Amino acid sequence: MKSISIYIHIPFCVKKCQYCDFLSAPADSRAQEVYLRALKQEIREQAARYREYEVQTVFIGGGTPTAVPCENLCEVLKTVFSFYRMNPHAEISMEANPGTVTKEALLSYRKAGINRISIGLQSADDVELKLLGRIHTYRDFQQTYRWAQEAGFTNINLDIMSALPGQSVENYKKTLETVLSLKPQHISAYSLIVEEGTPFYEKYGQESEKLQATGEKQPDLPSEEEEREMYALTEKLLAAAGYHRYEISNYALPGRECRHNLVYWKRGNYVGFGLGAASMVENVRFENTRKMQEYLAEYAGVPSAEPVFADVAQGDMQQIFRGENVHPLSQQEQMEETMFLGLRLTEGVSKAEFHRQFGVSMEQIYGEVIQENTAQGLLADEAGYLRLTREGMDLSNYVMAQFLLDEV
């Protein structure tokens, strides 16, 4: 039987964070109720397409999934369990933010079948949390983490961020040490990226005309040297504490790697449900509309002219519909994705598996790129795998871009 993973998008949050460019926005209870009704209908309608597949992982993300009522979210998961063939040992993950969950809710999530929880801490410093626009304090997080453990969660991920405005290397080290003292099973450590269209871009973007005009003083972003120091410190401290770095930004205790994310990086089959959710099944990519009214019209029978709530998509987005934005990947595109996704993993890309999939050796396609980057110390060819070296990870975007065949 073939395998598949499921992603479920909950596009709601209590308040938009200063750095966030995800497809999410606050919404009232009526809007949430209508959306969740549409979501369950989509999950039911699409089930016939995946009768030959067994679900290995489910990931409920957002937004903030825990911003909607617990019982409603559990009903969504129950719909998945009712209409899809589930592996009895499936990994069922959910994102949760402090300030949006109770102990009782966490107990209900665990009882509903969720066995892995990802908590958005970001920083152990309340000043940094406030600057990010987070709604919680570190004390709120501590309570959420304790409740999760008491609810029976034994597979917990913590998200943290570095290179924050005003953040010193010493402050970031304190966050790392604080997180390590809690001994979570998994840690995702991301460096802040100032994305266009976010409040942070207005404050720190290269074209921050508003900031220049007002002369408003903002904390400076760390220098490149400080950012590199934070990056190296992450790997050093986490490795010393027994965490294996298995992907550029992800660390886990033995056997606690996120199985769902490995599906993405290894190009397995996955289907996304919900607003703007993307899918990749048998080398065909497709995605849902990013227009809320269109999604509700399709799955909840809500007329597109009826204003349930404002369109949450930012800007003038292209209208995309399941079944219309279908893109079968060419062999060239499949090879490109195999390389630039697989090289995110510290184990790298299997040369034997590449040959099995495409009928040619990796050297036949990428020989010159491999040779040049190996000579520069950015790639290593060991034990049948091509992988980034530590120096290569520091320059990962530069290295991986060279595996786009137009540039070879």
Side-chain angles (χ1 to χ4, degrees):
M1 178 169 288
K2 294 183 285 188
S3 297
I4 200 164
S5 291
I6 290 176
Y7 172 76
I8 298 171
H9 189 60
I10 307 297
F12 306 122
C13 54
V14 176
K15 187 183 77 169
K16 196 83 168 173
C17 294
Q18 295 289 296
Y19 58 89
C20 179
D21 72 333
F22 294 152
L23 188 58
S24 61
D28 61 25
S29 59
R30 176 174 176 262
Q32 292 183 7
E33 181 181 347
V34 175
Y35 175 80
L36 293 173
R37 187 170 78 237
L39 180 61
K40 288 185 287 186
Q41 181 60 23
E42 181 193 8
I43 291 169
R44 287 191 291 265
E45 284 186 16
Q46 299 302 322
R49 295 186 179 187
Y50 305 106
R51 287 174 181 161
E52 299 178 4
Y53 294 83
E54 183 180 69
V55 177
Q56 305 296 322
T57 70
V58 177
F59 195 101
I60 306 173
T64 303
T66 48
V68 304
C70 170
E71 59 273 18
N72 293 356
L73 202 60
C74 291
E75 280 296 318
V76 172
L77 188 58
K78 183 178 179 181
T79 304
V80 173
F81 288 166
S82 298
F83 285 83
Y84 293 78
R85 187 189 301 269
M86 302 295 298
N87 183 299
H89 305 292
E91 175 191 88
I92 315 293
S93 301
M94 182 184 71
E95 293 177 343
N97 282 336
T100 64
V101 288
T102 63
K103 182 177 180 180
E104 291 71 27
L106 287 162
L107 286 165
S108 295
Y109 294 137
R110 188 68 191 89
K111 185 176 180 180
I114 295 169
N115 53 32
R116 181 178 184 275
I117 194 162
S118 180
I119 304 175
L121 168 59
Q122 314 311 351
S123 172
D125 186 298
D126 284 346
V127 173
E128 292 174 357
L129 289 172
K130 185 176 181 180
L131 189 66
L132 289 171
R134 305 293 289 181
I135 65 169
H136 69 272
T137 64
Y138 178 67
R139 186 173 181 178
D140 294 332
F141 159 77
Q142 286 179 301
Q143 187 176 57
T144 299
Y145 187 76
R146 183 173 64 252
W147 284 343
Q149 290 180 312
E150 292 173 354
F153 285 98
T154 57
N155 195 358
I156 301 176
N157 169 65
L158 299 183
D159 282 346
I160 59 173
M161 297 177 70
S162 62
L164 305 180
Q167 186 180 52
S168 67
V169 174
E170 188 59 33
N171 273 0
Y172 178 62
K173 183 181 179 182
K174 289 178 181 177
T175 287
L176 282 175
E177 291 172 340
T178 300
V179 167
L180 289 173
S181 71
L182 298 170
K183 297 181 174 59
Q185 287 72 39
H186 191 284
I187 298 172
S188 296
Y190 301 104
S191 180
L192 173 68
I193 298 175
V194 178
E195 300 284 5
E196 191 170 356
T198 65
F200 263 15
Y201 189 80
E202 293 184 11
K203 297 177 181 179
Y204 303 107
Q206 293 180 351
E207 301 178 4
S208 181
E209 296 178 0
K210 179 180 177 182
L211 177 58
Q212 294 171 8
T214 61
E216 183 182 356
K217 179 63 177 174
Q218 298 292 338
D220 292 331
L221 291 171
S223 66
E224 289 185 13
E225 182 179 347
E226 289 173 316
E227 187 172 351
R228 284 194 296 270
E229 192 174 345
M230 293 177 190
Y231 183 83
L233 190 62
T234 304
E235 183 176 18
K236 178 183 177 181
L237 293 184
L238 268 61
Y243 290 83
H244 166 58
R245 185 184 191 183
Y246 70 99
E247 191 269 344
I248 289 176
S249 301
N250 287 274
Y251 301 77
L253 295 176
R256 295 297 191 165
E257 296 83 0
C258 179
R259 289 162 49 194
H260 186 85
N261 284 344
L262 285 171
V263 170
Y264 294 152
W265 296 319
K266 294 187 175 184
R267 299 188 65 256
N269 295 316
Y270 60 90
V271 57
F273 298 124
L275 188 72
S279 305
M280 204 277 282
V281 181
E282 307 300 344
N283 287 310
V284 177
R285 291 195 177 278
F286 51 98
E287 56 187 14
N288 280 351
T289 176
R290 293 174 66 90
K291 298 289 187 179
M292 179 62 81
Q293 293 298 148
E294 292 166 357
Y295 181 79
L296 297 182
E298 185 173 3
Y299 291 112
V302 178
S304 58
E306 182 180 332
V308 176
F309 60 154
D311 191 343
V312 303
Q314 296 182 17
D316 187 17
M317 303 300 299
Q318 177 188 4
Q319 295 183 10
I320 304 172
F321 293 90
R322 179 183 295 275
E324 293 185 5
N325 188 45
V326 176
H327 178 64
L329 297 171
S330 66
Q331 177 160 300
Q332 173 179 322
E333 290 170 319
Q334 293 175 43
M335 288 190 291
E336 290 174 349
E337 288 191 357
T338 296
M339 299 309 297
F340 66 71
L341 290 174
L343 284 173
R344 293 190 61 89
L345 297 169
T346 55
E347 72 175 13
V349 184
S350 167
K351 297 170 75 173
E353 181 62 19
F354 186 96
H355 189 276
R356 187 194 69 78
Q357 285 188 44
F358 304 116
V360 293
S361 71
M362 199 181 287
E363 286 79 8
Q364 284 178 268
I365 305 299
Y366 295 111
E368 185 176 339
V369 172
I370 293 171
Q371 186 176 10
E372 289 180 359
N373 284 274
T374 301
Q376 294 174 38
L378 303 178
L379 286 174
D381 187 347
E382 298 174 346
Y385 281 78
L386 186 72
R387 62 173 181 81
L388 291 171
T389 62
R390 181 170 297 178
E391 294 76 14
M393 284 196 172
D394 292 342
L395 299 171
S396 58
N397 290 338
Y398 163 76
V399 178
M400 290 188 288
Q402 295 176 59
F403 286 89
L404 299 177
L405 287 172
D406 287 342
E407 300 185 20
V408 174

